[in-house]
Structure formats: structure tokens, C-alpha cells
Amino acid sequence: MLLDVADLEVRYGRTHAVRGVSLSVAPGEVVTVLGANGAGKSSLLKALAGAVRPAAGRIWLAGQDITALAAPDRVRQGLVLVPEGRQILVSLSVRENLLMGAYCRRDAEVGRDIDAIYDRFPNLAARRDMPASVLSGGEQQMLAISRALLARPKLMMLDEPSLGLSPLLVSRLFGLIGELNREGLAILLVEQNTRMALRAASRGYVMELGRVVLDGPAEKLANNDALAAAYLGGH
Amino acid sequence: MSASVSSRHPLLTSIGVALAGIAAVALLAVLPGGSTLAQQVVSGLMLGGIYVAVAVAFTLTIGVLNFLNFTIPTLFMLTGMVAWGLSRWGLPFGLSPGLHWAPALLGGVAVAILASLIVERFTFRYLKTRHGDATEHAIPLVSSLGFLLIFEHLVLIFLGSEAQSFPVRFRLDLHLGPLVVGLPQLASLLLSLGVVFWLSWLLQSTRTGRALRSIAESPDTATLLGVEVARIVPIVFLLSGLLCGVAGALFVVNYSDVSPFMGEHVGTKAIAGMVLGGLGSIWGAIAGGLLVGLLETLGIHFFGGDAAQVAVWGVLLAVLILRPQGLFGASRIGKGKL
Ligand SMILES: Nc1ncnc2c1ncn2[C@@H]1O[C@H](COP(=O)(O)OP(=O)(O)OP(=O)(O)O)[C@@H](O)[C@H]1O
Ligand SMILES: [Mg+2]
């Protein structure tokens, strides 16, 4: 497995946000984590990225125990998070945001990789020297993902990337996720857009109040009546 | 619009102001009786250059760390007093009395940098454990006040409370037509502005500079991108120590007088310059520092010492009432401060 998580716990004072979650992601796989607001999805990803310290549990990346590593070292090991709300650095230009994505890299191919991003997203290319604050929500999401890609990750974690995007942009976003996956990138995807997420993923986990209450192949989850009643109704 | 002013490249704007200043000085110099005034303008700019370096030290810690570092004026004072102490004791050894002032000044600068790093170690590292706590901002602030008093009293204990005169005077005048310019003055202005422009280049165009600006905007996001915040933060203190040290050394070269309380005067003027120019922007600190130096020197020339203080602070208050964001600031507190 590329990522293995065993019995992870996250606490904020008295709030017990993640309660004994175990999950795994295979190389080249898209795995989704679903759940209602406050289920603990973001806390899980933050603990995996090293942004919050887990109260208990172990994390392995490509067989190596990374539980004790600080967030910057996990980036160097190939585990990157595109956080909830994108967290673009608005005081930096588009190009500088991309350069910050490659902050940990010392190789000479950064420039070429940035050019490849510009080819993929002409909107970013056209605004490369503008402050990132001028970007639209969709462009900011593209920048956030591009910035994460520049770290050359083994596993990319996305926290609700479709939040606030128009239906057209949501389908373009999922198109991009599929494309990146076909290029070999493993993705751990937290989503509220259950239908789209289960279509993109091969497996899924459903969280409730900090616990995994359901997991399995994506098609099975998509046809699960309890899940449909809880999350898919009304769509 | 203020936004367009602030986004223009500071180097270009500064070169424009410098050219205008040179033109004004040249014009004054050829007018009958104008050359003493031109002389005052040159001295004012030199004094302003010292304020600029200290103001930029303040701006840097406020911009990157949201932290008003009270030890900055003390670092300035440490440079002067330590340099004086070293040369009085004949340190560094083995140099004839006329020669050891330069290494002594360098020693003073090194002590300022070292002291700044000590302050980082014992004030700012607390942030790591107290992040998000109500004490997050109070602890560095209070600890830096503590360090101010510790450094000041260490100097009082070991070097005494008297104002001292640096043993060597640095005098070399350059005659440019009717204008007499002190070479140390000119070198000081160029050196302090040079250090500040180097810093501005570092922030704008290097990997470390981008990391610093990312931390200024969001330490959490910077961490997720791989920036080791705890390793970068000491750079801020190293740079502010360097700026204060350079300013202190230049002060000694130009005025020869040092005292354990010399930091207070320069510190308040630097803060005035920083606020006048626009809090949080390096370009604002440059313009504001030069302006305060000019106001002070011209104020003394025309109205005498006490009235000069009234002039500086009066202009500051007037500007703050009319333009609370400062002359050149866009008042972007929190984001994009540098
Ligand atoms: N920094 C924090 N301090 C205290 N409590 C927190 C913190 N972050 C999250 N929580 C709490 O932990 C629980 C899980 O939050 P989390 O953000 O992980 O949920 P989520 O599944 O991502 O929700 P959403 O879908 O709304 O993003 C919530 O009860 C939340 O209030
Ligand atoms: Mg969330």
C-alpha cells in the first residue's frame, strides 16, 4: 500500500474529532472519504499532512512510518494536501504560488514543470504575474492543485475541492482528477459531492462523528441504500 | 489610487525620489546663500538613512511575524556601546589605536546580531507551543520588553551610564562646487539604503524571501508547502539585528557620540518614519525614515532643537489624521504586508 493509516485519533481539547480511523490507499488509486459536516474529514487529512498532531495511531507512506515527521518533511516524502478553502497565498503572484509549491525541490526541472502547468491551464498562464487575489474561485482551485502538483507528490490529498464551484467547473475538476490519476497519481479525495466522488474513486470510506461507519468499492457504496438515504437523497 | 502606488516597483519610485532630491540639492547649492540649506538637506538625508535602517527592522518583524519587537532600539544602542567598549579596552588586540575602530564597529554589529538571535530563541520560539492561545501575541511582546531592560542594564553595569565620545573622529570632506559633503555622511546614506534595497530584493526575488512572505500571510499554509517556519523565523531576527547594527555603526561614524540611551531617540524616530510612510511596507519605511530625518534636521536649522521635535511629531499627527494609512501605505494589515 502507498498509504496506511491505523487507529488514528485526533483531539482538540475536549472535542474528539477523529476516533480510531484506519484506511489505506494503493499506488495509483483514487480513494474518497465521505461524510456530513463535522464528521472529522478535514481533521483526518490535516493529521495525515502533519498540520495537527494525532493523539494516537500510526501513519505509513510507502512502507515508511511517517507518524513522527513534521509537515514539511511529509511534503518531501511525497504527501501533499490541497487544503479546504484552497489557501492560495493572495499576496504572492500566480507564478510565486507555483514556485512555493516547488519549495522543497532543488532540481532543475521546476521551470519546465511550471511551463507544463501553464500549458494545461491557459488562464493561469495569462495571469502569471498578477497577484493571486485576482483569480476567480475556479482558477484558484486550479492554482491550488497545480501548486500541490509541483511538489511532485506520490499521494495528493484534496479537501472538498468542488466547494463553491459552478456545475460546469465541478465537472471540469473531476475531469482533471481523472486525468491526473491516469498519469499515475494516487489521490485521497474528501468530498461533499458524493455522486461525483464515488464516480471518480475506486473505493470509499464513509465517516460519521469521527468514525468510519462504512467502506467498500465505490460502485457498492453508490448503490448502498443507507448511504443513498443519508447523503444522496435530493440530488 | 493607493493600490497603484503600492504595487509600483519600490526601486523605481525610490530612484525617482533620489533623483528629485539630488536635483533639489543642486538647485539650492547654486542659489545665493542656498548652500547651507543644501548642506542641511544632505545631513537630514543621512540621518534619515539611519532611521530607514531601523524602521525597516521594525517593519520586517511586524510584517512577517505580527510582532512589534521592542528590542530593536536596544540592538542599535548595543552596537554603539559595545564598539565603544571594545575600542576603549584596546580590543581587538594588536592594532594601533587609530586602526582598531573598524573591527570594533564590526564587533558591535556582530553583538547586535547575536543579541537579536538570543531574543528570537527566548521570545519567539514560544509560539510553537502556544500557537492559537490568547498568549500567542502577548508572550513575545512582553519578553521583548524584558530583553530591552536586560540588555540596557547589562550595558549600564559593564559600560556605565555616561554618554561617551568615540575616540576616533571620522572626518573627510568632499568639495562639490560650493557644497561640502562629509564623505562618511555620503557613505552612510548609500550604505543604509544599499542594505535596505538588498533586503527588498531578497524578499521579492529569492526563495527565502518568498518563504518569508508566505509566512507573513499564513504560517499554516507555508508549513503545508514545506516551509520549516521555525528555521526561517531566525532569519528575520538576523536581518533586523544586521539592520540595527549597520544603523548603529553609521551613527557612530557620523556623530562619534554614544550613550546607553541612544536607542530611544532613534527608535521613536524610526517608528514615526515607519508610520508616516505607511505601516508595514518597506518602501513606506524608506520614504518615511528619510522624511523624518529631513524634518528633524531642517527643523533644528530653522527653529532650534525643541521646536524640531514638535515639527516631526506634529507632521506625523497631521498625516495620520489626513491619511491614516500613511503617505505611501495601502493599509493592507494582515495580508501582503511586505
Ligand atoms: N481547530 C479546532 N479546534 C477545535 N475543534 C475543532 C477544530 N477543527 C475542527 N474541530 C471540530 O472537530 C470536528 C470535526 O471537524 P472537521 O473540520 O474535521 O469536520 P469535516 O468533516 O471536515 O466537516 P466539513 O464537511 O464541514 O468540512 C468538528 O466538531 C469541529 O468543530
Ligand atoms: Mg472539512
Side-chain angles (χ1 to χ4, degrees), chain B residues 44-45 48-49 51-52 273 276-277 284-298 312 315 319 327-328:
Chain B
L45 286 176
Y51 295 156
V52 166
L276 192 61
I286 297 175
L290 290 176
L291 199 58
V292 169
L294 270 179
L295 278 174
E296 193 177 356
T297 314
L298 293 179
V312 170
V315 167
V319 166
L327 289 175
F328 305 98

Side-chain angles (χ1 to χ4, degrees), chain A residues 77-220:
Chain A
Q77 297 292 324
L79 183 61
V80 300
L81 170 64
V82 180
E84 197 170 11
R86 331 198 201 297
Q87 308 303 333
I88 290 303
L89 295 162
V90 293
S91 60
L92 273 59
S93 72
V94 169
R95 187 173 153 273
E96 287 175 325
N97 267 276
L98 294 173
L99 286 169
M100 282 309 294
Y103 183 78
C104 293
R105 285 173 54 186
R106 294 288 197 174
D107 57 288
E109 283 165 39
V110 173
R112 208 177 314 153
D113 286 0
I114 290 180
D115 287 340
I117 296 287
Y118 289 154
D119 288 342
R120 191 171 220 152
F121 305 109
N123 280 4
L124 295 185
R127 291 164 183 71
R128 64 182 83 181
D129 291 319
M130 295 184 195
S133 54
V134 306
L135 297 183
S136 72
E139 287 163 351
Q140 287 200 6
Q141 188 61 68
M142 296 307 145
L143 179 58
I145 293 176
S146 303
R147 188 174 67 178
L149 284 174
L150 279 164
R152 290 205 166 159
K154 295 187 188 116
L155 174 66
M156 181 152 82
M157 303 187 282
L158 295 164
D159 196 348
E160 300 203 27
S162 74
L163 200 70
L165 299 188
S166 70
L168 180 67
L169 284 178
V170 170
S171 69
R172 277 190 53 193
L173 170 77
F174 278 96
L176 173 66
I177 289 174
E179 230 173 84
L180 294 175
N181 178 240
R182 278 191 293 282
E183 291 166 15
L185 184 64
I187 293 170
L188 183 58
L189 174 66
V190 160
E191 259 301 339
Q192 298 267 0
N193 192 330
T194 307
R195 222 179 273 277
M196 294 290 267
L198 286 173
R199 215 177 291 159
S202 59
R203 287 187 305 117
Y205 296 81
V206 179
M207 285 182 74
E208 227 174 81
L209 298 174
R211 288 197 176 82
V212 171
V213 292
L214 204 61
D215 70 274
E219 315 91 85
K220 266 209 179 140

Side-chain angles (χ1 to χ4, degrees), chain A residues 49 51 71-73 75-76 81 83 87-92 96 99-101 103-104 106 147, chain B residues 203-204 207-208 210-211 213-214 217-218 221-229 232 335-337:
Chain A
D73 293 322
V75 175
R76 281 185 194 97
L81 170 64
Q87 308 303 333
I88 290 303
L89 295 162
V90 293
S91 60
L92 273 59
E96 287 175 325
L99 286 169
M100 282 309 294
Y103 183 78
C104 293
R106 294 288 197 174
R147 188 174 67 178
Chain B
L203 283 171
Q204 282 308 315
R207 178 172 177 270
T208 304
R210 279 191 295 275
R213 285 185 289 138
S214 303
E217 182 174 333
S218 163
T221 304
T223 304
L224 282 178
L225 294 171
V227 178
E228 284 161 319
V229 175
I232 300 276
K335 282 180 177 168
K337 286 167 296 195

Side-chain angles (χ1 to χ4, degrees), chain B residues 272-284:
Chain B
M274 174 174 75
V275 175
L276 192 61
L279 190 65
S281 91
I282 286 190
W283 160 233

